[in-house]
Amino acid sequence: SRKATVWQQKFSKILSIPIRYLLLGGVLLLVILWIKSQAINFNEHNRYSLDLREISSLDARIKQNVLQARDGLLTYYDPIVNDLAEVKQLHSNLEQVPSFVDRQGREELEGILQSDRSIWQKKELIIQRFQSENAILRNSLTYFPIAIADLVEKETIDPALVNRLQTLLRNILLFNLSNDRELVPPINNEIQELLALSATTAESEKLKMTLAHAKIIMSRYSQVNDWVQTIIALPTNQSSENLIQA
């Protein structure tokens, strides 16, 4: 039939195409498929790398905010809390290891990720303790000068006691600025001596409350600084770098 003749002619034309052209077409198809698969791999790699580097960026920002909170320049902890929450989310994202990573590489990444997560959990716990201690410290640093000012204005306070209270205030503020440990023993001794005098002072209860703030400052300041040093020293940044280089 006429239709059969037409199909025979088309099939003959196909058979007449040199084999090298067919092979070339097949190679081109394979190349295109490979390029597409590599594009997906590059996207996964870029996503994974960006998440890793974001953790390093958050680590630096958290350290900076902790230092500012200690110095009273940051008066609320929301930025630190939000950054810690973002680190947790990034760790969850990083559990999705790129599909192109082989089994050995996947196990290595999972091990390093677990180590990084453990260090961050420890860091978060210490930051929570720092926040609690620092809040108490900042409160006393705010009210101690006010309490001293209120006391020295009382007409019933002995002038000699006024001088001692003003000296105590100056020394504590100096200690807060310098963290000079040599100031600690004489300041603590002065606090104890003033507490002993409080029973015979007209403003006994106010003096005790004022000295309570002084004791809090002296006891909490060193603890807060120790927490800060621990937070800074924890190798979260190195752990993140290990993940990036893995």
Side-chain angles (χ1 to χ4, degrees):
S1 67
R2 184 175 179 182
K3 288 185 176 181
T5 304
V6 170
W7 279 109
Q8 287 177 355
Q9 290 175 350
K10 289 183 177 179
F11 186 70
S12 298
K13 288 181 180 179
I14 293 173
L15 290 178
S16 66
I17 299 175
I19 294 179
R20 65 175 179 274
Y21 291 139
L22 293 175
L23 291 175
L24 180 59
V27 170
L28 287 174
L29 177 61
L30 289 175
V31 169
I32 291 171
L33 292 175
W34 180 84
I35 291 174
K36 288 185 176 180
S37 68
Q38 290 302 304
I40 295 174
N41 290 346
F42 288 143
N43 289 336
E44 287 187 280
H45 179 271
N46 289 337
R47 185 266 303 171
Y48 207 78
S49 297
L50 286 173
D51 285 349
L52 289 172
R53 297 190 184 282
E54 181 63 16
I55 290 180
S56 293
S57 176
L58 289 169
D59 185 37
R61 193 162 69 196
I62 288 170
K63 289 177 181 177
Q64 181 181 9
N65 285 335
V66 165
L67 291 171
Q68 290 183 338
R70 180 199 62 182
D71 296 336
L73 301 176
L74 183 65
T75 57
Y76 54 98
Y77 298 129
D78 288 356
I80 298 174
V81 172
N82 292 339
D83 283 347
L84 287 172
E86 190 170 347
V87 169
K88 285 184 179 180
Q89 182 59 54
L90 288 169
H91 277 141
S92 296
N93 295 346
L94 291 171
E95 290 179 354
Q96 305 300 318
V97 179
S99 59
F100 58 84
V101 178
D102 60 23
R103 181 177 179 180
Q104 181 179 352
R106 183 179 297 270
E107 291 176 352
E108 181 182 357
L109 275 174
E110 289 173 349
I112 298 175
L113 179 60
Q114 182 56 43
S115 175
D116 187 63
R117 189 195 296 270
S118 297
I119 296 174
W120 272 100
Q121 288 173 345
K122 182 178 181 181
K123 187 167 194 169
E124 182 176 9
L125 180 61
I126 294 174
I127 287 176
Q128 290 172 351
R129 292 175 180 173
F130 157 77
Q131 290 172 336
S132 177
E133 296 285 334
N134 192 58
I136 297 171
L137 172 63
R138 302 314 306 181
N139 180 70
S140 287
L141 281 169
T142 297
Y143 287 106
F144 179 60
I146 297 173
I148 290 286
D150 183 56
L151 268 175
V152 299
E153 289 178 357
K154 300 292 184 183
E155 295 181 357
T156 54
I157 294 292
D158 189 314
L161 180 56
V162 169
N163 289 334
R164 293 183 69 173
L165 288 172
Q166 289 175 333
T167 300
L168 178 65
L169 173 61
R170 182 170 59 253
N171 288 339
I172 287 180
L173 293 179
L174 177 61
F175 170 70
N176 180 59
L177 291 173
S178 65
N179 194 25
D180 184 354
R181 299 302 178 100
E182 293 184 359
L183 292 172
V184 174
I187 290 175
N188 285 335
N189 289 338
E190 181 66 5
I191 291 172
Q192 293 304 317
E193 290 181 10
L194 290 171
L195 279 172
L197 290 173
S198 64
T200 60
T201 303
E203 301 291 339
S204 176
E205 292 304 315
K206 288 187 177 180
L207 178 57
K208 288 180 180 178
M209 182 191 69
T210 300
L211 294 175
H213 282 300
K215 291 178 69 175
I216 288 173
I217 293 170
M218 296 308 297
S219 63
R220 305 276 177 164
Y221 187 84
S222 296
Q223 184 63 70
V224 165
N225 272 291
D226 289 343
W227 287 133
V228 170
Q229 293 304 316
T230 302
I231 291 167
I232 299 300
L234 277 173
T236 43
N237 185 58
Q238 182 59 49
S239 182
S240 298
E241 287 297 322
N242 291 341
L243 273 168
I244 292 173
Q245 296 173 9

